[in-house]
Amino acid sequence: MIGSVVWVSAQIGIAWVGAGLALSVIVVTPVILAFLWLNRWHRGRPRLLVSAFVWGASVAAFCSIWTQAWLHDLVNVIWGADVGAWVRPLMITPVTEEVLKGLFLLWLLIYRRREVTGVLDAIVFAGLIGIGFSFIENSLYFGRPLMEVVQSGGADTAAVATLGVTLFMRVAMVPFFHSLMVAITAIGIGIAAHRRGRAAKVLPVLLGLLAAIVLHGIWDWAGLASSDQFLIFKVYGAVMVPVFLAVFIVALVLRHRQGRMITEGAEMLVRDGDIASEEAMPLANLRARRRWRADIRRHAGRAAARAVARYQSEASALAIRLTRGTPADQDWLPEQRRIVTEARAGIHHRRAFGRLTPTPFRTQQ
């Protein structure tokens, strides 16, 4: 991430990078909170969630900048600037950005597949990758016109107009753009995560990535390569809004389904001896979970509350896999049961500091 900030600083100066980052924080914070809200039933490991954001803001952003510049120069040399004006938005930018952002998801699929219990988990990780990418990108898009406006004392009407359009686009129209693009790739990753066989995994990943590249190319072409100044708004209304709403609805449905699977699976966990009977109800109720953690924090401190949070998350993952019961889920059950046992042992390790079982709590979900 430091490399990305240094590159942007070289373009507009460190002071304007700071101003751009401050505006970027305002833009990305609600988007972060939205994705974390989606993640409440089965919380990802905090380090992995932070890593997803950092990947988007560092490796994906920095490598995209240099790769695009090099490829664009190469195209200009071989085919000329006129061809380059079309190739960059249609091919170079979409391919480099979506591939580089998607590499983190591919790493999860290969080396941390247990963390992806389904499509919703993949969408959450993807959202944070996209937010990280936008965070750095916005620092340049906000910082440059802001610098021009301030340096001109507000007399440069073109700079004022550019700043206004940029703020409108980035704040009102597409604060979710990069998150949406990676989320489309993530749908393929989430499908592949609980499938057996190489072909069954590769195909949805490639289809998701291809869809993200095509959509990204359409958006960039509309904004950069077309002479129709209103085309980007037409594409926004006809393509981007429907796609966003479709992914948003899918995420809401998956969140509701995830909660239902945990509620049903909690009874199976009690039956199989994976959790205590008094833990089933709070595990299946988000308000009760919060009260459980808050109670533990008061009695035993933050470390104990974190241990309970991890136990809740791992037990939720086990409940999801038990309820869904696909062949791939069955493969993961022994490992997931072992991890739940370890998480529970972490709670017992802290019993000396206070009571770590949930208090009775009655409420409707």
Side-chain angles (χ1 to χ4, degrees):
M1 188 159 63
I2 294 175
S4 302
V5 173
V6 169
W7 185 87
V8 176
S9 300
Q11 307 299 307
I12 61 175
I14 188 65
W16 300 110
V17 170
L21 288 175
L23 287 173
S24 188
V25 168
I26 297 172
V27 174
V28 304
T29 297
V31 186
I32 291 174
L33 294 176
F35 278 100
L36 293 180
W37 177 81
L38 288 174
N39 194 43
R40 288 177 69 195
W41 277 110
H42 173 234
R43 291 186 180 276
R45 288 179 179 255
R47 289 183 181 180
L48 276 180
L49 295 173
V50 172
S51 296
F53 177 89
V54 172
W55 176 272
S58 58
V59 177
F62 187 71
C63 291
S64 291
I65 290 167
W66 288 103
T67 304
Q68 289 169 25
W70 179 79
L71 289 174
H72 191 221
D73 289 342
L74 181 64
V75 169
N76 287 345
V77 169
I78 297 175
W79 291 297
D82 291 339
V83 175
W86 288 90
V87 170
R88 181 165 189 168
L90 286 173
M91 296 180 62
I92 293 175
T93 299
V95 172
T96 54
E97 291 187 3
E98 298 314 319
V99 168
L100 286 165
K101 288 182 291 185
L103 282 177
F104 186 89
L105 296 175
L106 185 61
W107 174 79
L108 282 177
L109 180 63
I110 296 173
Y111 297 105
R112 294 290 187 274
R113 186 154 61 99
R114 188 189 65 81
E115 302 293 336
V116 183
T117 62
V119 172
L120 184 60
D121 289 341
I123 288 176
V124 170
F125 282 114
L128 293 174
I129 295 168
I131 293 166
F133 195 98
S134 296
F135 179 67
I136 293 298
E137 188 179 64
N138 286 343
S139 68
L140 177 62
Y141 285 137
F142 290 150
R144 177 172 285 163
L146 186 61
M147 174 188 69
E148 293 171 353
V149 169
V150 173
Q151 288 180 346
S152 69
D156 189 342
T157 56
V160 174
T162 299
L163 178 60
V165 170
T166 301
L167 288 171
F168 176 72
M169 292 284 293
R170 293 272 158 177
V171 176
M173 288 182 65
V174 288
F176 57 84
F177 176 75
H178 285 291
S179 294
L180 175 62
M181 294 299 102
V182 198
I184 293 170
T185 302
I187 292 173
I189 294 287
I191 293 171
H194 53 90
R195 284 191 173 183
R196 286 173 168 174
R198 181 173 298 178
K201 294 175 183 177
V202 171
L203 184 59
V205 173
L206 290 179
L207 289 176
L209 179 61
L210 180 61
I213 289 171
V214 170
L215 284 169
H216 194 152
I218 291 172
W219 177 252
D220 281 1
W221 165 73
L224 300 176
S226 174
S227 58
D228 183 353
Q229 59 181 335
F230 296 107
L231 180 62
I232 192 168
F233 298 102
K234 297 173 185 175
V235 170
Y236 178 78
V239 179
M240 303 308 296
V241 170
V243 171
F244 169 75
L245 290 176
V247 174
F248 178 68
I249 291 170
V250 166
L252 289 181
V253 170
L254 291 173
R255 184 182 186 272
H256 177 74
R257 182 186 175 195
Q258 196 175 71
R260 191 177 68 248
M261 286 192 292
I262 292 171
T263 300
E264 296 173 3
E267 297 179 3
M268 290 185 263
L269 296 182
V270 173
R271 178 199 65 197
D272 297 339
D274 296 305
I275 66 173
S277 59
E278 65 269 19
E279 295 168 350
M281 188 278 292
L283 187 66
N285 186 289
L286 292 175
R287 290 182 60 198
R289 286 191 188 194
R290 289 197 302 271
R291 178 167 175 173
W292 184 0
R293 293 193 299 269
D295 186 51
I296 298 312
R297 189 178 297 111
R298 286 193 300 270
H299 287 83
R302 293 183 179 274
R306 286 194 296 269
V308 171
R310 187 195 170 208
Y311 175 59
Q312 290 174 344
S313 177
E314 299 298 351
S316 296
L318 181 56
I320 291 169
R321 294 193 183 280
L322 276 171
T323 305
R324 191 169 51 208
T326 66
D329 287 320
Q330 297 295 325
D331 293 341
W332 282 106
L333 288 181
E335 175 69 6
Q336 189 62 45
R337 279 201 162 97
R338 181 188 65 79
I339 292 170
V340 170
T341 301
E342 288 182 356
R344 188 169 183 80
I347 293 179
H348 284 294
H349 177 69
R350 293 177 172 85
R351 273 192 186 277
F353 298 95
R355 172 176 49 75
L356 296 182
T357 53
T359 55
F361 185 70
R362 295 181 179 180
T363 186
Q364 293 183 347
Q365 183 63 34

